[in-house]
Amino acid sequence: AQKVTQAQTEISVVEKEDVTLDCVYETRDTTYYLFWYKQPPSGELVFLIRRNSFDEQNEISGRYSWNFQKSTSSFNFTITASQVVDSAVYFCALSGPASGTYKYIFGTGTRLKVLA
Amino acid sequence: EAGVVQSPRYKIIEKKQPVAFWCNPISGHNTLYWYLQNLGQGPELLIRYENEEAVDDSQLPKDRFSAERLKGVDSTLKIQPAELGDSAVYLCASGQGRGTEAFFGQGTRLTVV
């Protein structure tokens, strides 16, 4: 079975603090894809990053960085020097052939509140 | 480039009434998804199209839900009759196939009273 677990329901930080959002996944696929999406209060899911299972290089994009570790089945997301505009719900998702047709399996999301 | 467009943004209907949602995907995207998102939850797939073909509708409650994607572009999702438990956000997304990222519309928030 495929599953994504985001154990942190809600996190509150003060502006400029660093914060890491955890994502743990389960899959029997050898080839699969991992994603992070941001859902601000407006409701639209905004794509942030895609990773395939053969690429374990960490990635940095501005204040955002991602740590993919196959050994622990984790794909964690860190925001450095958080800002109020980072406040949103963040979803981790998994896609692969075991899901049937490469549909996205989403976690339950982590609500991030960045306080000024 | 225009994103995924959904309409309406909000809909309030009485139970047992029909309702329809419309989605226009990003131009050139052959894959279209309808997702359901309940409050405090992640999106869950209702149906996935590749061009005109529904390749995964296993989680679509077919007794009351139907969907179509004419000419492999726009799509419509219908509920008839609506029940109180159908109150949720209905998200449409499009993409370029397996393993690629999907781009989501702003969703339609349905309230059934």
Side-chain angles (χ1 to χ4, degrees):
Chain A
Q2 293 195 319
K3 185 179 179 181
V4 174
T5 301
Q6 294 180 256
Q8 304 153 308
T9 304
E10 184 169 312
I11 301 175
S12 292
V13 299
V14 176
E15 204 170 21
K16 298 184 183 178
E17 286 185 356
D18 299 347
V19 59
T20 296
L21 309 182
D22 297 334
C23 173
V24 174
Y25 62 92
E26 296 175 27
T27 181
R28 63 174 184 267
D29 291 330
T30 54
T31 300
Y32 53 89
Y33 302 86
L34 296 163
F35 307 82
W36 275 95
Y37 283 86
K38 174 182 181 180
Q39 189 172 42
S42 62
E44 183 174 350
L45 279 157
V46 178
F47 166 73
L48 295 177
I49 190 171
R50 176 180 74 113
R51 250 305 173 253
N52 74 56
S53 52
F54 296 106
D55 182 1
E56 287 194 72
Q57 277 192 328
N58 291 332
E59 181 157 339
I60 298 174
S61 176
R63 296 184 296 106
Y64 295 171
S65 62
W66 291 270
N67 183 355
F68 176 29
Q69 292 195 338
K70 288 179 72 171
S71 61
T72 55
S73 296
S74 65
F75 186 42
N76 296 337
F77 173 29
T78 297
I79 301 175
T80 303
S82 59
Q83 300 176 1
V84 173
V85 293
D86 296 326
S87 297
V89 181
Y90 291 85
F91 290 95
C92 181
L94 166 70
S95 177
S99 69
T101 55
Y102 283 84
K103 66 184 179 185
Y104 301 89
I105 307 294
F106 284 86
T108 51
T110 297
R111 181 177 300 277
L112 174 64
K113 293 185 177 179
V114 182
L115 308 173
Chain B
E1 179 181 301
V4 176
V5 178
Q6 290 187 246
S7 68
R9 287 291 315 278
Y10 304 92
K11 189 74 176 178
I12 301 175
I13 61 170
E14 295 183 344
K15 62 181 180 181
K16 301 185 181 179
Q17 294 301 306
V19 64
F21 314 126
W22 175 80
C23 173
N24 179 238
I26 292 173
S27 178
H29 283 187
N30 62 324
T31 304
L32 185 145
Y33 311 80
W34 282 103
Y35 275 85
L36 167 72
Q37 186 175 23
N38 286 306
L39 190 64
Q41 299 295 316
E44 297 178 1
L45 182 72
L46 289 172
I47 189 167
R48 176 175 183 262
Y49 283 94
E50 286 188 9
N51 299 307
E52 302 89 358
E53 182 182 0
V55 296
D56 186 353
D57 62 357
S58 56
Q59 294 180 265
L60 188 73
K62 298 181 183 64
D63 57 335
R64 297 184 301 106
F65 286 64
S66 64
E68 61 181 7
R69 189 182 185 198
L70 299 176
K71 300 182 181 178
V73 182
D74 293 3
S75 178
T76 303
L77 178 69
K78 298 178 181 177
I79 308 175
Q80 182 171 10
E83 297 179 352
L84 295 176
D86 296 332
S87 295
V89 175
Y90 292 82
L91 295 164
C92 179
S94 69
Q96 293 182 306
R98 299 179 176 186
T100 64
E101 58 272 23
F103 295 89
F104 285 78
Q106 290 189 294
T108 296
R109 182 176 298 278
L110 174 67
T111 302
V112 182
V113 297

